[in-house]
Amino acid sequence: MDKSQCFFAVDLGATSGRTIAGTIADGKVRLEELTRFPNNLIQTGGHFYWDIYALYFEIIKGLKTAVHRGLDVRSIGIDTWGVDFVCVGDDGALLRNPLSYRDPHTFGAMEEYFDRCVTKEEVYRTTGIQFMNFNSLFQLYVMRRDGNTALKNARKILFVPDALSRMLTGEDVCEYTIASTSQMLNPVTKELDARLLESVGLERGMFGRMVMPGTRIGVLTEEVRRMTGLGPVPVVAVAGHDTASAVAAVPAADERFAYLSSGTWSLMGIETKEPVINDLSYARNFTNEGGVEGTTRFLKNICGMWLLERCRKEWGDEAPADYGRLLADAMKTAPFRSIINPDDAMFANPADMGGAIREYCRKTGQHVPEGYAETCRCIFESLALRYRQVAGWLQEMAPFTIDTLHIIGGGSLNDYLNRFTANATGLTVLAGPQECTALGNIMLQAKAAGVVDGIFDMRRMIASSITPKRFEPQDRGEWDKAYEKYLQVCG
């Protein structure tokens, strides 16, 4: 492929978005950020909305930038956060900006839905998806219950990446990985479940055709071509859910790995050929989300660096602004004096995170951390021990032996936490890449173009393009004792 040719990735998160050019040459992939922009929530009329027109504008702006730079855009792919969707009317127009998963209208919706529609056990047996009040199923239930005008007049319902693809191509699709976040998709049949759709007054025809990652959706409309100066460039359905694109970029050599997508929140899981839906996965609230090439991402959400991010805001000038110095100070303190369960409900969104950590330690009869350094060490050690617990559950339910833990995302740069994680889990940890979501998006476009053959061909190319950091387990005796304390404290 000529070096001037590029795959154009749109990577949209809940707070910001980017457009990225990915070029492949000499068996390696290189990324270049073209534009970056905020993704602002709009609060009006008692609800929170995403500005999908602003996101579309930024995509057009990014495409213009690529043309101005002389890049030959070979295809376009879009990934976003999960669950949210757009209603489309009979005339093809979008019916209002989409509601955000952060909107409080779904508080209490799950319990009401289970009482009136389908039981909790039946929903999990059908979908294998963990229960969160903002899943699309419960959003749709509340919208139908409250007489939402957009839903009442909808001809089509499109998840956010599919809606943006429609604005570029005029084609309606339902991409598999993003649909799997809705809690309406059956991972065995790989289709939306008729009973769950009926429970919220919908039918299958209201959604686009189901497509797998790497499928060509269509080409840019004449309108978009005129605005950008591009020709009939294809738009490809990548893994529309950003986590699915990230997992597609794990540089694993074989299937015997677990992944930890590490950032504000952590997602730890494995990639399986079939969903894992049983009493144990239900009790432990594991989820089965769609992956590439028909695989399932069997995973669990874990609180991540949210704890430290909140504490740093509270500390202000009391703690070093330099992140490296902060971590170095934490490592000078005594180990394993204070341990918390990062996923305890009291850490979800307290007014005072540092105070919540101190209160947890006080209630559990432990040393109460004093100052930023002790608190930071408590957070890191507790996260690593929680990772050990979840990794153990994964191994218990995995159809293979887990040899390696790949840490991807922004947290892959945190050497201290990566080392603690290797020590706690007893697994070899390979840290990187940081830009996993964009890499997965780009590589799935490359697969659609025939540049790579499949998932492990993609992963080999990514592995040859980066140098992950390796962490081997150490000090196992100390960490085994710490884990015993964790289980006593946290249950």
Side-chain angles (χ1 to χ4, degrees), residues 237-480:
V238 296
H241 186 211
D242 50 13
T243 307
S245 275
V247 173
V250 171
D254 55 47
E255 66 176 12
R256 296 187 303 276
F257 71 93
Y259 57 84
L260 176 62
S261 181
S262 177
T264 300
W265 302 100
S266 295
L267 301 104
M268 180 181 277
I270 56 176
E271 193 173 69
T272 61
K273 293 177 181 176
E274 301 295 337
V276 181
I277 304 175
N278 53 42
D279 291 343
L280 207 51
S281 66
Y282 172 73
R284 291 171 175 168
N285 204 24
F286 273 72
T287 197
N288 291 265
E289 295 177 352
V292 299
E293 297 183 357
T295 59
T296 293
R297 291 176 292 115
F298 182 63
L299 62 94
K300 185 172 181 63
N301 283 353
I302 306 169
C303 185
M305 296 307 291
W306 160 253
L307 298 164
L308 184 61
E309 289 168 7
R310 281 289 306 274
C311 284
R312 291 188 75 189
K313 287 183 179 179
E314 295 166 9
W315 292 331
D317 295 336
E318 296 175 11
D322 179 73
Y323 195 62
R325 187 184 154 200
L326 171 69
L327 302 189
D329 288 349
M331 294 308 110
K332 295 174 185 175
T333 64
F336 308 127
R337 298 187 71 194
S338 311
I339 293 174
I340 63 172
N341 178 358
D343 289 321
D344 191 281
M346 69 187 297
F347 303 126
N349 192 20
D352 178 1
M353 182 65 78
I357 291 172
R358 291 189 295 275
E359 180 62 19
Y360 185 99
C361 293
R362 191 177 296 112
K363 284 184 175 180
T364 51
Q366 301 181 81
H367 169 74
V368 177
E370 300 174 359
Y372 69 87
E374 288 190 353
T375 303
C376 183
R377 179 135 198 167
C378 165
I379 290 170
F380 279 20
E381 290 175 344
S382 299
L383 282 173
L385 292 166
R386 178 61 167 168
Y387 295 158
R388 170 169 173 164
Q389 185 175 42
V390 174
W393 289 341
L394 279 170
Q395 185 60 87
E396 193 175 347
M397 294 183 278
F400 51 82
T401 300
I402 299 171
D403 295 332
T404 306
L405 176 63
H406 285 269
I407 299 182
I408 56 177
S412 66
L413 301 177
N414 191 324
D415 287 354
Y416 289 113
L417 183 55
N418 295 339
R419 187 177 301 115
F420 282 3
T421 301
N423 295 347
T425 62
L427 295 170
T428 296
V429 165
L430 296 177
Q434 178 189 4
E435 298 285 358
C436 48
T437 305
L439 279 168
N441 183 319
I442 295 294
M443 294 308 298
L444 283 162
Q445 292 185 60
K447 180 188 174 188
V451 177
V452 292
D453 293 331
I455 181 64
F456 281 102
D457 195 20
M458 291 165 45
R459 287 171 169 160
R460 278 190 293 273
M461 183 174 289
I462 292 170
S464 70
S465 305
I466 66 163
T467 304
K469 265 194 168 182
R470 189 181 191 95
F471 300 86
E472 295 291 352
Q474 298 174 349
D475 305 323
R476 294 307 314 285
E478 294 178 22
W479 281 90
D480 287 345

Side-chain angles (χ1 to χ4, degrees), residues 87-110:
C87 296
V88 182
D90 286 334
D91 61 355
L94 306 188
L95 300 176
R96 189 184 294 162
N97 268 321
L99 285 160
S100 167
Y101 70 88
R102 300 187 188 203
D103 193 285
H105 71 151
T106 57
F107 290 174
M110 286 197 302

